[in-house]
């Protein structure tokens, strides 16, 4: 994971993770700022233009005086720039301060994926005194959804194996 900005407001914690031993924590109390963690340039040479990508993660937290938590997906162009960007769910994340919630999105890669795809998780505090966003993220996964032709080929392969096994 890459952190923006790096500093004391982001950490890996063992306190009450969703699953396993660790979770990411972003506690942004800096007015008029974004605090982000991201996995950049995933799936170079694997993700194709227009291909569905599934994004799943658990999150919990609280925001005050206008603070928000969000997840954003980018399709990257090699050498810099993006061919698509979207806030997952179209709005800030609806968090619970005490309980983990699972977020699951299927998005479509943009027209140029030469630089792969990027998932960015954030906590934003607006330019309002007392604003904050305190968010925990865990169990993050980004995976391509097999194309129908690939699924059909896999299905035919299974049928062929079953027939071959029955004929022996």
């Amino acid at each position: 994971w890459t952190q923006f900005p790096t500093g004391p407001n982001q950490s890996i914690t063992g306190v009450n993770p969703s699953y396993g031993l660790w979770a990411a924590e972003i506690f942004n109390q800096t007015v008029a700022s974004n605090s982000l963690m991201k996995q950049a340039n995933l799936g170079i040479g694997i993700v194709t233009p227009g291909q569905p990508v599934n994004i799943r993660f658990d999150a919990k937290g609280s925001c005050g005086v206008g603070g928000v938590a969000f997840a954003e997906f980018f399709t990257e162009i090699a050498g810099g720039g993006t061919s698509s960007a979207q806030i997952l769910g179209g709005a800030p994340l609806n968090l619970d301060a005490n309980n983990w919630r699972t977020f699951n999105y299927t998005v479509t890669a943009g027209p140029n994926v030469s630089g792969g795809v990027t998932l960015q998780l954030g906590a934003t505090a607006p330019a309002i005194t007392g604003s904050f966003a305190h968010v925990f993220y865990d169990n993050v996964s980004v995976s391509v959804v097999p194309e129908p032709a690939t699924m059909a080929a896999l299905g035919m392969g299974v049928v062929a194996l079953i027939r071959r096994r029955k004929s022996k």
Side-chain angles (χ1 to χ4, degrees):
W1 288 89
T2 304
Q3 299 173 304
F4 299 99
T6 57
N9 58 348
Q10 300 174 351
S11 64
I12 302 301
T13 181
V15 177
N16 192 26
S18 171
Y19 179 82
L21 300 175
W22 308 102
E25 178 181 15
I26 303 175
F27 191 12
N28 187 2
Q29 295 175 288
T30 304
V31 173
S33 71
N34 292 319
S35 186
L36 311 167
M37 294 178 153
K38 70 178 183 175
Q39 282 281 347
N41 307 104
L42 302 169
I44 295 174
I46 297 170
V47 180
T48 58
Q51 185 173 24
V53 177
N54 184 260
I55 299 164
R56 183 192 178 284
F57 58 89
D58 297 338
K60 73 175 187 171
S62 60
C63 299
V65 194
V68 296
F70 64 92
E72 193 167 9
F73 176 78
F74 299 95
T75 304
E76 304 281 353
I77 300 170
T82 62
S83 68
S84 69
Q86 57 186 297
I87 299 291
L88 299 178
L93 300 173
N94 182 16
L95 300 176
D96 184 310
N98 300 310
N99 299 300
W100 289 95
R101 291 191 174 161
T102 299
F103 295 86
N104 195 0
Y105 305 97
T106 300
V107 296
T108 302
N112 183 338
V113 293
S114 58
V117 297
T118 295
L119 173 63
Q120 179 171 281
L121 303 172
T124 299
I128 302 170
T129 302
S131 66
F132 73 91
H134 189 193
V135 187
F136 295 85
Y137 293 104
D138 201 359
N139 297 324
V140 179
S141 72
V142 177
S143 58
V144 294
V145 177
E147 297 177 26
T150 303
M151 291 302 291
L154 287 172
M156 294 304 289
V158 169
V159 170
L161 284 174
I162 291 170
R163 285 187 181 165
R164 183 174 179 199
R165 188 174 281 178
K166 283 183 179 181
S167 65
K168 286 187 174 185

